[in-house]
Amino acid sequence: MISILGAGPHGHQLAAIVRRYDHVELYDDNLDDYESVLAGANTGPWLVGAAWPKVRRAIAESVADAKYNAAYGTGTVFYPGAHFGNDVTWGKHLHVQYNAVVSHGCRIGDYVTICPGAVLSGEVTVEDDVFIGANATIIHGGLTIGRGAIIGAGAVVINDVPPGATVVGVPARKIN
């Protein structure tokens, strides 16, 4: 059995994927009718079902002393259709969703979300706690997406993104 910590929409989506391979139970501290995330983490291996990286980090850190560790060793989940090139490295609690592409030489940090259809076209560094929206494209060639940045859906990133920045559009431009 795998416990899904977080019973919101992303948690339910993650549970549907994991159910193909294992029995799952959902846990949530903020929704009625669910046991606490700590209870889930003490029941068996767990995954965090939160789309937003900072929420995923907070949940994972809240169960650091639980009886069981994250499922799959690092809590990282690759959704069906996700594709990876060679020489890609990634951290813990990464979610790479449907049909996303992470091409050669990319370096992905902890607690990153890569939404459906997003493309990291090679040799991109994504620091911790980054959210990359659906169908965003990050152009090849040594770009860095700073810690805590948000890449809007459909954005085309052609320059480095500073830590904490939100970028949108084609080409992507900072909005905060």
Side-chain angles (χ1 to χ4, degrees), residues 49-145:
W52 288 103
K54 290 179 183 177
V55 175
R56 191 175 321 126
R57 178 184 289 276
I59 292 171
E61 289 176 353
S62 77
V63 298
D65 295 327
K67 179 177 177 182
Y68 291 94
N69 293 320
Y72 313 130
T74 63
T76 291
V77 180
F78 305 126
Y79 286 56
H83 298 277
F84 296 87
N86 64 315
D87 195 31
V88 173
T89 61
W90 55 82
K92 60 187 178 184
H93 299 285
L94 166 68
H95 287 192
V96 182
Q97 297 181 6
Y98 302 103
N99 302 318
V101 175
V102 180
S103 195
H104 66 283
C106 289
R107 305 285 179 256
I108 313 296
D110 298 337
Y111 301 98
V112 171
T113 299
I114 302 173
C115 288
V119 175
L120 282 65
S121 60
E123 299 176 19
V124 173
T125 298
V126 179
E127 295 180 348
D128 296 348
D129 303 315
V130 170
F131 184 91
I132 300 172
N135 296 314
T137 300
I138 302 172
I139 299 300
H140 175 275
L143 296 183
T144 297
I145 310 303

Side-chain angles (χ1 to χ4, degrees), residues 1-12 14-15 18 24-31 34-52 55-71 75 77 93 95 111:
M1 187 193 89
I2 294 179
S3 300
I4 306 295
L5 311 182
H10 190 76
H12 278 272
L14 186 57
V18 173
V24 299
E25 294 289 334
L26 289 140
Y27 298 84
D28 200 299
D29 290 342
N30 297 308
L31 296 173
Y34 292 97
E35 290 185 63
S36 74
V37 296
L38 185 56
N42 283 321
T43 301
W46 49 269
L47 295 170
V48 180
W52 288 103
V55 175
R56 191 175 321 126
R57 178 184 289 276
I59 292 171
E61 289 176 353
S62 77
V63 298
D65 295 327
K67 179 177 177 182
Y68 291 94
N69 293 320
V77 180
H93 299 285
H95 287 192
Y111 301 98

